[in-house]
């Protein structure tokens, strides 16, 4: 092997080894106390996440990719199947909801009731912007926390009176420790979410 090639190879190997020293999980800012973390998460009014979502109900089993965009009290949700075909598109703002299912548009004042009527899924949409972030809301019960003070489970009641058990199976490793795996379950519907990314 020519000397110049050996030198170049040695430099590339050294660069690779040095860069490998920095391949550690990143933490976003300093370590927060449980209260500081909750305060920071409560302040998140604008965020976007992408997730793999599965819904199991007596009528149907559906899975696909979810995009959730939150702007204060308004939100937009898009769910597509593995082929990129739309399962539903939901826009909620100023007390009005627009839902697109199977190419048809529908409007109502309540997201959960509209979703149930058109798809057969009773989803806890009214407080979804909270439980996606790992917050329980004012009307939650049976709250459970882990040794770090993170909420890991609670029960909520939606507008139609259904009770849901929300459980956080894992969190991201940054200082906010936002949820990564979430299971939400009622008597007859089970929702699984694997959040792939957060944009804050």
């Amino acid at each position: 092997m020519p000397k110049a090639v050996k030198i170049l190879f040695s430099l590339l190997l050294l660069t690779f080894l040095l860069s490998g020293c920095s391949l550690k999980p990143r933490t976003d800012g300093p370590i927060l106390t449980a209260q500081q973390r909750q305060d920071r998460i409560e302040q998140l009014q604008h965020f976007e996440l992408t997730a793999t979502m599965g819904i199991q109900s007596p009528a149907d089993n559906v899975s696909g990719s979810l995009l959730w965009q939150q702007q204060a009290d308004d939100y937009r949700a898009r769910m597509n199947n593995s082929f990129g075909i739309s399962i539903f598109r939901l826009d909620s703002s100023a007390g009005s909801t627009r839902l697109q299912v199977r190419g048809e548009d529908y409007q109502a004042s309540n997201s959960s009731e509209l979703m149930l009527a058109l798809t057969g899924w009773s989803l806890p949409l009214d407080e979804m912007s909270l439980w996606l972030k790992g917050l329980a809301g004012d009307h939650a019960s049976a709250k459970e926390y882990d040794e770090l003070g993170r909420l890991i489970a609670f029960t909520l009641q939606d507008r139609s009176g259904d009770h849901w058990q929300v459980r956080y199976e894992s969190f991201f490793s940054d200082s906010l420790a936002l949820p990564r795996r979430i299971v939400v379950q009622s008597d007859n519907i089970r929702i699984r979410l694997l959040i792939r990314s957060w944009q804050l």
Side-chain angles (χ1 to χ4, degrees), residues 3-20:
K3 185 176 181 181
V5 174
K6 288 183 178 179
I7 293 173
L8 179 59
F9 178 79
S10 299
L11 288 173
L12 289 172
L13 180 61
L14 179 62
T15 301
F16 174 79
L17 291 174
L18 290 174
S19 64

Side-chain angles (χ1 to χ4, degrees), residues 59-80:
D60 207 356
N61 288 334
V62 177
S63 62
S65 179
L66 175 71
L67 170 65
W68 184 279
Q69 297 169 310
Q70 189 78 34
Q71 295 289 326
D73 293 331
D74 302 338
Y75 62 83
R76 173 179 296 176
R78 303 285 186 265
M79 186 176 181
N80 296 333

